[in-house]
């Protein structure tokens, strides 16, 4: 019989994989960001029923990533074109989501996947983009 924790981890992994695939299939930036919101939605629900520090950390990073991308998207829509949302940002986030699902499924460390997701979002901020232009932040 599957334990409660195993059940919630399995649901988390399935939803992260669904989010990643939905983002990959979508071409519109705003829909990619919309799908990303489901990633922190599932981590938030999961940690309420089966708490671990990994779920909490993943929730924090995914929520921060969503909010950062939304902030950049709103700035772009208001006419601020200093930093554009580029396909590479989403590719790295999508790759990070796949890595995160794999890590949760296998019990491996989630740190590398979260670092990739967070770095991709940070590259969409003014300071992050500047570091990317200088070659210090690589995507």
């Amino acid at each position: 019989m599957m334990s409660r924790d195993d059940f919630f981890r399995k649901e988390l992994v399935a939803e992260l994989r669904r989010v990643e695939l939905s983002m990959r299939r979508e071409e519109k930036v705003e829909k990619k960001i919309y799908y990303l919101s489901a990633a922190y939605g599932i981590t938030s629900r999961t940690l309420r029923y089966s708490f671990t520090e990994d779920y909490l950390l993943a929730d924090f990073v995914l929520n921060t990533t969503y909010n950062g991308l939304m902030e950049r998207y709103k700035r772009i829509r208001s006419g601020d074109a200093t930093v554009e949302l580029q396909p590479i940002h989403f590719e790295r986030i999508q790759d990070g989501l796949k890595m995160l699902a794999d890590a949760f499924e296998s019990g491996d460390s989630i740190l590398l996947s979260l670092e990739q997701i967070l770095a991709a979002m940070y590259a969409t901020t003014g300071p992050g983009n500047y570091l990317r232009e200088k070659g210090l932040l690589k995507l």
Side-chain angles (χ1 to χ4, degrees):
M1 183 171 171
M2 184 183 296
S3 76
R4 181 172 133 153
D5 291 339
D6 289 340
F7 170 80
F8 285 110
R9 185 177 59 252
K10 182 180 174 190
E11 291 298 310
L12 171 64
V13 168
E15 186 66 14
L16 290 173
R17 293 194 191 290
R18 191 174 302 116
V19 168
E20 180 237 336
L21 288 174
S22 296
M23 287 180 71
R24 285 193 194 279
R25 290 179 180 146
E26 183 56 55
E27 292 185 23
K28 294 179 183 173
V29 167
E30 60 270 24
K31 285 285 287 218
K32 285 181 178 287
I33 297 170
Y34 164 77
Y35 286 127
L36 180 62
S37 72
Y40 78 81
I42 190 62
T43 54
S44 178
R45 286 188 300 277
T46 301
L47 69 88
R48 289 188 183 115
Y49 294 104
S50 179
F51 180 83
T52 70
E53 286 83 2
D54 279 354
Y55 296 157
L56 181 62
L57 182 59
D59 185 62
F60 179 78
V61 169
L62 293 171
N63 195 319
T64 300
T65 299
Y66 169 79
N67 287 324
L69 291 176
M70 276 304 293
E71 176 63 26
R72 177 53 50 200
Y73 180 71
K74 287 176 186 176
R75 285 175 174 249
I76 291 168
R77 295 215 19 153
S78 71
D80 178 357
T82 55
V83 180
E84 295 180 13
L85 290 172
Q86 300 172 346
I88 189 70
H89 296 123
F90 292 100
E91 289 167 20
R92 292 299 170 257
I93 290 168
Q94 293 157 185
D95 292 347
L97 287 169
K98 182 181 184 325
M99 291 168 52
L100 183 60
D102 291 346
F104 276 132
E105 189 171 56
S106 67
D108 292 338
S109 172
I110 64 168
L111 190 56
L112 215 56
S113 59
L114 295 179
E115 287 174 351
Q116 180 165 319
I117 292 167
L118 195 56
M121 183 282 298
Y122 186 65
T124 71
T125 68
N129 185 67
Y130 182 71
L131 292 174
R132 186 170 171 223
E133 287 178 0
K134 285 177 36 175
L136 297 175
L137 193 162
K138 296 182 184 353
L139 295 181

